[in-house]
Amino acid sequence: MFNDDARKKDVKTPTIAGEVWHNGQFVNWDEARVHVMSHVLHYGSSVFEGIRCYKTERGPAVFRLREHMQRLLNSAKIYRMAHPWTLDQLCDASVNLVARSGLQQCYLRPIMFRSLDDERPAFGVNPFPNPMACYIGAWDWGKYLGDEAIEQGVDVCVSSWNRLTPNSMPAMAKAGANYMNSQLIKMEALTNGYAEGIALDDRGFVSEGSGENIFLVHGGKVITPPLSSSILPGITRDSVIQICRELEIPLVESGIQRAALYVADELFFTGTAAEVTPIRSVDRIPVGEGRRGPVTERIQKLFFEITSGERDAPGDWLTYVNEQKSAAPERNGHNAAQGTEARRAATQTPAGDSREAIHVTLTE
């Protein structure tokens, strides 16, 4: 009845780093486990990131590491997740994880979540009694929507599922719970023979894909939905905005009606996993000439030149793993005492967050 191959098309067996960073220490992949009664499994109380590390002539290079980790901290702050980890510690952990893995390119997945206090377990919706945990894993992940999609583009649909309203679930936070909405969008698209779905916001304007921001090209101008369209403030989205300025391509943030998707000259997705992926049709209506357009190709070309280290970025976008100072071999961003303190702090019930406020930075 259903095309099972289509529903499993982006499920591949990756090469996985043998270690995972956990609360200041490296543990074996098989030891990175949580209790089945952890708060996160029952209530979706997690925030996470997706970060690409690219292969370059100078060795593996992590793309916009600090911006991603700052967004992770911002997400945690929105959800009142008191924790002991700093921006520098998380960045150091990521760099050393890549170095220890031996992978030349990979996808990094930092995640913070509410776990379980074994001595004083709490099972209600109230998240505060539960300790925080933080993990960072890594694996080699290819093109999210397929290798051929980068040039040929993908076929997508407008989903029947809307994006979450900002005052119901904060779209600015990259939270695990938000991705139940994303799963509905993705499953509907795959079941109906599409690679991806585009969600509208609660007003009927274009929002984003299940895990990607979206850009429209019309008359030589690039248009992307604003943050008010219930989108995640994407790091790759911000990178493309800066690339457009570099290429002197006019760009505006504006509400986009659904019908505009059908008459666009070009459309493309952006995201850590999707990178810059052209859209060749929407609801079986060809976009432009039904293939990657010239503006998308220019942006894509510059993006991949930057991520491969062949061309300078508009900012300090690449963290070269082999050129960073190594932390202690068994810990990352912590010495032994700090690792113990981090674990202790992460298992305490927060009585109030007196930490210095994290400055919330928004992408454009």
Side-chain angles (χ1 to χ4, degrees):
M1 181 177 179
F2 298 112
N3 185 346
D4 198 51
D5 290 339
R7 293 195 287 176
K8 296 179 180 179
K9 65 180 295 185
D10 59 357
V11 179
K12 299 177 182 178
T13 302
T15 301
I16 299 171
E19 293 179 307
V20 174
W21 185 89
H22 174 221
N23 293 0
Q25 292 182 298
F26 288 99
V27 300
N28 291 332
W29 174 271
D30 291 339
E31 297 173 11
R33 296 284 185 263
V34 299
H35 197 285
V36 71
M37 298 307 294
S38 293
H39 193 272
V40 63
L41 294 181
H42 299 261
Y43 302 107
S45 47
S46 68
V47 295
F48 70 98
E49 276 300 321
I51 310 171
R52 284 269 189 187
C53 177
Y54 288 91
K55 183 178 181 179
T56 76
E57 290 186 356
R58 293 164 60 180
V62 186
F63 184 67
R64 302 197 70 174
L65 175 59
R66 293 187 71 84
E67 291 92 335
H68 279 100
M69 286 304 186
Q70 182 61 62
R71 189 173 64 182
L72 179 70
L73 295 176
N74 293 347
S75 297
K77 186 176 183 183
I78 289 170
Y79 276 98
R80 301 176 186 268
M81 292 178 169
H83 62 84
W85 301 292
T86 68
L87 177 61
D88 286 340
Q89 287 168 348
L90 294 171
C91 290
D92 288 346
S94 300
V95 167
N96 280 289
L97 176 62
V98 174
R100 293 166 69 102
S101 75
L103 296 172
Q104 292 302 301
Q105 60 185 25
C106 62
Y107 180 92
L108 289 160
R109 171 54 56 82
I111 183 168
M112 285 188 195
F113 59 87
R114 299 189 188 275
S115 188
L116 180 74
D117 186 336
D118 291 327
E119 295 181 2
R120 300 180 63 187
F123 305 117
V125 174
N126 175 12
F128 290 128
N130 299 280
M132 290 296 300
C134 184
Y135 289 82
I136 306 174
W139 59 88
D140 188 352
W141 204 7
K143 303 302 181 187
Y144 179 59
L145 295 173
D147 292 335
E148 71 284 354
I150 294 296
E151 181 176 347
Q152 297 178 18
V154 292
D155 301 309
V156 308
C157 63
V158 175
S159 179
S160 67
W161 297 98
N162 284 357
R163 261 303 184 208
L164 301 158
T165 60
N167 211 34
S168 298
M169 298 283 284
M172 278 183 54
K174 193 173 176 70
N178 291 10
Y179 281 76
M180 289 300 288
N181 177 250
S182 295
Q183 288 176 55
L184 291 169
I185 296 164
K186 185 73 172 183
M187 289 187 294
E188 179 183 55
L190 292 176
T191 298
N192 290 315
Y194 299 97
E196 186 57 278
I198 297 172
L200 307 180
D201 65 19
D202 61 310
R203 304 163 301 166
F205 288 96
V206 173
S207 179
E208 58 185 356
S210 69
E212 311 90 1
N213 294 118
I214 190 168
F215 287 78
L216 179 152
V217 181
H218 185 74
K221 181 186 297 183
V222 175
I223 307 167
T224 193
L227 296 183
S228 58
S229 286
S230 203
I231 69 168
L232 180 75
I235 307 300
T236 309
R237 172 184 181 272
D238 176 68
S239 302
V240 167
I241 289 172
Q242 295 192 51
I243 286 171
C244 285
R245 291 174 181 157
E246 187 97 343
L247 295 173
E248 299 183 344
I249 299 171
L251 182 140
V252 295
E253 295 180 73
S254 174
I256 299 173
Q257 295 185 31
R258 174 178 179 167
L261 299 173
Y262 304 136
V263 297
D265 298 330
E266 303 175 40
L267 292 171
F268 60 90
F269 283 132
T270 65
T272 295
E275 298 169 296
V276 180
T277 299
I279 298 169
R280 66 187 177 195
S281 74
V282 180
D283 293 336
R284 308 200 190 285
I285 298 174
V287 175
E289 297 183 2
R291 59 177 183 269
R292 180 180 61 186
V295 175
T296 303
E297 186 173 6
R298 286 182 67 199
I299 293 169
Q300 200 181 59
K301 181 174 183 293
L302 183 52
F303 177 81
F304 286 121
E305 286 176 351
I306 290 170
T307 56
S308 65
E310 298 171 22
R311 180 166 176 163
D312 290 338
D316 188 15
W317 288 3
L318 293 180
T319 300
Y320 290 95
V321 171
N322 296 342
E323 298 171 17
Q324 302 302 304
K325 293 182 179 178
S326 296
E330 293 304 319
R331 290 174 177 83
N332 212 344
H334 300 277
N335 58 30
Q338 289 172 322
T340 301
E341 175 62 20
R343 290 190 298 278
R344 182 193 65 78
T347 56
Q348 286 184 334
T349 301
D353 189 359
S354 60
R355 295 171 297 120
E356 180 181 351
I358 300 169
H359 177 63
V360 179
T361 56
L362 305 180
T363 57
E364 299 177 63

